[in-house]
Amino acid sequence: MEPILDIRGLTKTYRNGVTALDGVDLQIRKGEIFALLGPNGAGKTTLIGAICGLVRPSGGTICAFGEDLSKSWRTARRRIGLVPQEMGLDIFDLVERNVAYSRGMFGCAPDAGRIEEVLRSLSLWDKRKERIKDLSGGMKRRVLIAKALAHDPDLLFLDEPTAGVDVGLRRDMWRQIEALRQRGTTIILTTHYIEEAEEMADRVGVISNGRILLVDDKDTIMARLGRTEARFTLEEPVTELPEPVSGFPVHLENEGLTLVYRGGDGTGRGKREVADLTRALVQAGIVFEALETAESSLEEIFVDLVEDERREDAA
C-alpha cells in the first residue's frame, strides 16, 4: 500500500548555519497513529512545519496522498490538519465563528452540525459565544484543536498537544484521537509524555539532531531494545563473584550488598536469565533477602537511543 506521507532526504539548514533536518526519510501509513519522539531542538517542529507549508525545505521531497507537495501544495494542504505548539488565535473573535471560519478557509462547505460536534467533543459548546480572549489557557488550547479538526483532515499533526494542559483536556484529546482513528484519520503526534505514545501509538520514530534514529512498530521496538533489570539485596556483602555467577551481565553496588542484573532483549530472555542467575546464586551459597525486577519502558529506550547518538557525535 502506498504511504499517505512519503518523505525522502529532507533537509533544512537555516541562514545562521543551523541544520534542523539532516536527510530525513520517513513513510507514514494510512490510518495509523505515529508518535515522533525527540528532545527539544531535535527537529520535530521543523519537520511538521515543512510538511504543513510553514517551513521551506532546503532539499529532499515530500509527497502526501500521492502528490508532490512542491507542486500540489494547496490541494494536499486542504487534507491536512495541524495543532501547533504556539497559540495563534484571533483572540477577539467568538469561539464558534473562529472554528467555522477555519473550516471555510480550507474550502469546505458550511456545516453547523459538524462544528457543533467538534465543539461538544472538546467541551467547548457552552463557550461557543464567548470571545477567545476571555477563555483560560486550557480552553484556548481546545479551540486550537477544534480549528484543526473543523475541516475533517485525512492527516492530522498534533505538535505537543497536551503540553502544560490540565488532565481534563488530555483525557478529551485522547478520546478524540481514538474517535479519529475509528474514522480512518492518520495521526502524527509529538509529545513529551512518552507514556501517552506508549499507550496510543502504532509506530514510533525517534529523531535527534535532525536525524531519524529509529522507526518501527512499538511492540517490535520493545522486543528488540527492551531490557530486564533485577536487583538482588544480599544478606552479606560480596567482594568477588564466583563462577558461574560472574558469567551473567551483573555487577555489584552498595558496597557489595546489591547485585544488579541488566540484560535480555525484551523477548523474555531476561526473565529466563534472572531465573538461571537465581539458581546460580543458591548453588554458590550467596544468600539474598529480596529480589526486585523491572522491564524497561519506551521512555528508557528513547533516552538510551538519544544518549548513544550524542556520544557518537561527541566521538
Side-chain angles (χ1 to χ4, degrees), residues 216-288:
D216 214 332
D217 292 335
K218 178 180 60 183
D219 293 340
T220 301
I221 291 174
M222 298 297 290
R224 180 156 60 92
L225 299 176
R227 293 291 182 268
T228 299
E229 178 176 291
R231 303 180 71 87
F232 295 83
T233 301
L234 307 183
E235 188 176 75
E236 296 182 356
V238 173
T239 57
E240 186 175 350
L241 295 173
E243 289 286 351
V245 175
S246 60
F248 290 90
V250 295
H251 66 273
L252 292 167
E253 293 182 358
N254 192 25
E255 298 181 344
L257 281 171
T258 304
L259 178 70
V260 180
Y261 163 92
R262 289 194 181 95
D265 55 8
T267 64
R269 183 167 66 89
K271 293 180 180 179
R272 294 191 295 271
E273 281 192 340
V274 170
D276 293 339
L277 173 59
T278 302
R279 286 190 288 270
L281 288 170
V282 173
Q283 291 171 2
I286 299 176
V287 180
F288 58 92

Side-chain angles (χ1 to χ4, degrees), residues 39-76:
N40 290 333
K44 303 186 299 294
T45 299
T46 301
L47 178 59
I48 291 175
I51 299 166
C52 294
L54 304 175
V55 173
R56 178 172 293 183
S58 304
T61 60
I62 306 172
C63 291
F65 317 107
E67 299 185 69
D68 186 338
L69 289 192
S70 66
K71 301 175 182 177
S72 307
W73 181 81
R74 289 185 180 277
T75 303

Side-chain angles (χ1 to χ4, degrees), residues 128-307:
R128 66 189 184 278
K129 300 300 182 183
E130 294 188 23
R131 296 192 185 277
I132 294 173
K133 70 180 182 65
D134 297 325
L135 301 180
S136 67
M139 284 297 174
K140 289 175 182 174
R141 174 67 64 178
R142 291 171 190 256
V143 174
L144 279 177
I145 297 168
K147 285 168 63 67
L149 298 177
H151 64 289
D152 299 316
D154 295 311
L155 176 60
L156 177 64
F157 288 93
L158 304 170
D159 194 5
E160 301 285 356
T162 59
V165 302
D166 59 80
V167 174
L169 175 53
R170 290 177 68 184
R171 185 177 59 247
D172 288 347
M173 184 72 250
W174 299 124
R175 188 164 54 238
Q176 266 285 2
I177 286 176
E178 185 56 38
L180 290 167
R181 183 210 289 267
Q182 296 300 321
R183 295 174 61 173
T185 304
T186 304
I187 298 168
I188 301 175
L189 66 96
T190 71
T191 177
H192 283 309
Y193 299 105
I194 298 181
E195 71 276 11
E196 291 181 342
E198 194 166 2
E199 176 70 22
M200 299 292 298
D202 302 305
R203 288 197 303 151
V204 173
V206 177
I207 185 172
S208 181
N209 290 328
R211 297 191 293 270
I212 298 290
L213 304 184
L214 173 73
V215 173
D216 214 332
D217 292 335
K218 178 180 60 183
D219 293 340
T220 301
I221 291 174
M222 298 297 290
R224 180 156 60 92
L225 299 176
R227 293 291 182 268
T228 299
E229 178 176 291
R231 303 180 71 87
F232 295 83
T233 301
L234 307 183
E235 188 176 75
E236 296 182 356
V238 173
T239 57
E240 186 175 350
L241 295 173
E243 289 286 351
V245 175
S246 60
F248 290 90
V250 295
H251 66 273
L252 292 167
E253 293 182 358
N254 192 25
E255 298 181 344
L257 281 171
T258 304
L259 178 70
V260 180
Y261 163 92
R262 289 194 181 95
D265 55 8
T267 64
R269 183 167 66 89
K271 293 180 180 179
R272 294 191 295 271
E273 281 192 340
V274 170
D276 293 339
L277 173 59
T278 302
R279 286 190 288 270
L281 288 170
V282 173
Q283 291 171 2
I286 299 176
V287 180
F288 58 92
E289 299 174 340
L291 168 61
E292 298 178 357
T293 62
E295 300 296 317
S296 58
S297 66
L298 181 61
E299 180 170 9
E300 290 167 328
I301 292 172
F302 160 70
V303 170
D304 287 344
L305 282 169
V306 172
E307 289 181 349

